[in-house]
Every structure is written in structure tokens, then in C-alpha cells.
Amino acid sequence: MRTVKATPLPAPLITHPQQLGALVRAVRTASGLTLEETALSVKVAKQTLQNLETGTGTVSLALAFKVMNGLGIHLTWQTPPDAGGPGGAGAA
């Protein structure tokens, strides 16, 4: 069995594909999973997972969410201050 070295978690604010990929990689490696094991368990191609983790290539939003859900990653959102809603105008 191959040993997986844990990758540190990125900053909590994600604004670029590379940052989302870093989060996916950090969660995967913290779980001790290889690319191959994760790709098999969430039923995506290894290359797709690798592209997601590096923020390169084209990975559909549906596949990104499939991987994130498979790893237990859940996203929250915040609106701009002038948009209203949570974190926006009128938010407590």
C-alpha cells in the first residue's frame, strides 16, 4: 500500500480553480487516499481528478461537485455587501 503525504489546507477564501483544487487535494491526502483510490471511489477518471486538483484543463462543475461530495467537502457562499442576502446589505 502506498503512503500518502498530507497536503496543508489552503486559505478558506477560494476565488480561483487552483485554490479549489488545493482544497480537494488537501482533503484527499488527509484521508490517506491516492489519486487512483479516490477516482475509483467517486467514479471519475484519474485524469479528471488530477486536472481538478491542479486547476488545469477543463473539469465540469458537475464533476467537481461529484468529487467534492465524494470527499465530504461542502461549500458555503457569501453575497457581495451590496447584493443583499447573507453577508450582503441588511445582513445581521
Side-chain angles (χ1 to χ4, degrees):
M1 179 178 220
R2 189 171 145 186
T3 305
V4 177
K5 181 180 176 190
T7 304
L9 286 169
L13 179 63
I14 295 175
T15 59
H16 298 289
Q18 293 83 2
Q19 294 166 317
L20 180 62
L23 173 62
V24 169
R25 176 181 286 131
V27 171
R28 174 183 63 78
T29 58
S31 300
L33 297 169
T34 65
L35 276 168
E36 295 84 0
E37 292 167 336
T38 305
L40 284 171
S41 72
V42 298
K43 297 179 175 67
V44 298
K46 178 185 167 189
Q47 187 63 51
T48 298
L49 179 57
Q50 194 167 26
N51 287 346
L52 177 60
E53 287 190 359
T54 59
T56 58
T58 302
V59 177
S60 74
L61 190 56
L63 283 177
F65 271 95
K66 185 176 183 177
V67 171
M68 290 186 297
N69 288 334
L71 290 171
I73 299 170
H74 305 285
L75 300 181
T76 60
W77 56 271
Q78 182 177 352
T79 60
D82 60 348

